[in-house]
Amino acid sequence: MKAAVYYENGDPGVLSYEEVPDPNCHPKGVVIRVEAVSIEGGDTLNRWRGALVTRPHVVGYQAAGEIVEVGVEVTNLRVGQKVATTGAFGSHAELRAVPARTAWPIPEGFDPKLASVIPVAFGTADDCLFEFGRLKAGETVLVQAGASGVGIAAIQLAKRAGARVLATASSDERLERLKTYGLDEGINYRTSDVVESVMRLTNRKGVDLVVDSVGGSTLQGSILSLAYRGRVSMVGAAGREPMTVDVSSMMGGNRSLSGVFLGAEITTDRVHNNIQRLIDEAARGEFEVVIDRTFPLSQAAEAHAYIESRQAVGRVLLIP
Ligand SMILES: NC(=O)c1ccc[n+]([C@@H]2O[C@H](COP(=O)([O-])OP(=O)(O)OC[C@H]3O[C@@H](n4cnc5c(N)ncnc54)[C@H](OP(=O)(O)O)[C@@H]3O)[C@@H](O)[C@H]2O)c1
């Protein structure tokens, strides 16, 4: 099969398009013919400095497509079925093997391109808001990096749950585009101070919950933006900065900081069923899956470079 591979970590230019051996089907797994690869923020970070567990390494968490092989121990999936899949690596390819537990059937008529985006971005946003963030209707949420894959999912799910939604982004144009998805107030962090803006927009109370996938100095701003009993769901390090923060404001305000890692619970019934529910809701049009651009798989390097140029709002896909 063809795949986008690399032999060393680095900039998008390390990606090349090559012939590699087909993946093997595990007895408890399936192999799919990939129709769409959703490039995750974690894929660009892994390419930059993640472990190369295969050589050459095929990076990538998420892809959707048609099942072409089913492991002998798998009873709930069949050849010909369309599924959205997640795995530790291997999405940037024509074929990918995953455990059956991280393959979710796509409802009839729902575009696999849209389904490919849902498990990690929406599953993570949902956990940040509800399981770990304990969001209630009427509360105010701040979504850091609102134009990111996790960010747009969080904005839509928070709005649907009856929250007031604030978000940050690196330009006014990006914030403007987020209004369609439920953003109430945008903060351009390049031109305004985030904590000061949050305090102005909340009558100096602060926000009840922050979804922070950026980390570093942004995470410090998230902590300082919290209301009494406010919570931060700390879920990523897109800013590529050290995670050193001052937590001295937390205790006095009964505030909390929760780390969120979807991968740690993705094979549990709770998360597995949650992701299937989100796929079914997206198929019914209950929220929008935002795709910014698609590239052919052979142009994975260009697609990664485009994402890192910070122009994308929502997901960038690769099509084999
Ligand atoms: N823990 C988990 O379970 C989990 C699950 C999913 C994702 N994540 C993590 O969450 C983070 C975001 O993932 P994603 O898929 O939403 O990412 P994404 O769609 O690629 O978006 C990342 C966003 O971060 C912002 N950003 C801020 N500083 C940046 C920098 N120095 N370089 C690049 N972007 C920067 C950019 O928006 P602006 O230009 O508007 O600032 C960019 O759009 C990643 O670190 C990922 O690994 C964790």
Side-chain angles (χ1 to χ4, degrees):
M1 67 168 179
K2 289 281 196 186
V5 305
Y6 51 80
Y7 294 83
E8 57 183 22
N9 292 120
D11 291 336
V14 298
L15 283 159
S16 58
Y17 187 59
E18 293 182 10
E19 188 70 31
V20 294
D22 290 357
N24 293 322
C25 189
H26 188 277
K28 292 182 182 354
V30 296
V31 174
I32 66 164
R33 184 169 305 287
V34 174
E35 294 177 22
V37 178
S38 169
I39 306 177
E40 302 301 299
D43 298 351
T44 59
L45 289 177
N46 281 331
R47 188 214 69 237
W48 176 52
R49 65 167 186 196
L52 278 72
V53 292
T54 54
R55 200 161 181 87
H57 187 56
V58 181
V59 77
Y61 291 125
Q62 299 229 121
E66 185 170 314
I67 296 178
V68 292
E69 200 176 342
V70 174
V72 288
E73 293 178 33
V74 177
T75 53
N76 64 324
L77 296 169
R78 55 177 170 73
V79 169
Q81 205 170 12
K82 303 267 184 179
V83 287
T85 69
T86 291
F89 55 86
S91 76
H92 287 37
E94 289 178 324
L95 296 169
R96 82 138 354 160
V98 289
R101 191 63 178 157
T102 54
W104 294 268
I106 300 173
E108 194 66 36
F110 188 45
D111 187 342
K113 288 195 202 69
L114 301 177
S116 73
V117 175
I118 293 171
V120 172
F122 282 85
T124 300
D126 197 83
D127 262 11
C128 286
L129 293 169
F130 305 111
E131 180 73 10
F132 298 100
R134 309 187 298 281
L135 180 67
K136 295 194 285 289
E139 289 191 322
T140 301
V141 182
L142 170 66
V143 180
Q144 299 277 21
S148 65
V150 172
I152 294 195
I155 290 171
Q156 293 191 72
L157 297 178
K159 190 68 183 176
R160 187 175 73 161
R164 179 181 181 220
V165 185
L166 280 48
T168 60
S170 54
S171 72
D172 291 341
E173 295 72 46
R174 287 162 81 66
L175 291 167
E176 196 52 41
R177 285 177 64 184
L178 297 178
K179 291 200 172 138
T180 329
Y181 308 112
L183 177 68
D184 293 305
E185 306 281 356
I187 302 168
N188 177 340
Y189 65 81
R190 291 227 161 107
T191 56
S192 351
D193 182 85
V194 173
V195 180
E196 231 171 78
S197 304
V198 165
M199 291 304 160
R200 178 175 47 79
L201 292 165
T202 59
N203 286 328
R204 322 258 9 124
K205 273 183 59 191
V207 292
D208 301 295
L209 175 64
V210 186
V211 176
D212 189 325
S213 61
V214 181
S217 52
T218 300
L219 180 60
Q220 188 66 66
S222 299
I223 288 170
L224 295 173
S225 297
L226 291 178
Y228 179 71
R229 281 193 175 229
R231 294 88 64 195
V232 177
S233 286
M234 174 199 133
V235 70
R240 304 183 184 189
E241 288 175 0
M243 288 289 203
T244 313
V245 290
D246 175 358
V247 293
S248 55
S249 60
M250 304 296 284
M251 190 170 62
N254 281 320
R255 302 184 172 104
S256 50
L257 175 61
S258 299
V260 179
F261 176 44
L262 189 79
E265 297 192 11
I266 201 158
T267 57
T268 62
D269 284 348
R270 181 186 74 78
V271 174
H272 183 85
N273 295 339
N274 213 27
I275 289 173
Q276 187 67 59
R277 171 184 62 80
L278 289 162
I279 291 171
D280 295 346
E281 287 174 352
R284 292 197 297 270
E286 292 185 23
F287 50 77
E288 215 174 306
V289 176
V290 183
I291 292 174
D292 180 278
R293 249 181 102 167
T294 62
F295 288 82
L297 177 61
S298 57
Q299 289 176 17
E302 287 83 349
H304 276 228
Y306 174 69
I307 291 169
E308 292 184 1
S309 75
R310 319 271 284 268
Q311 297 171 73
V313 172
R315 278 285 174 251
V316 174
L317 305 187
L318 294 171
I319 309 296

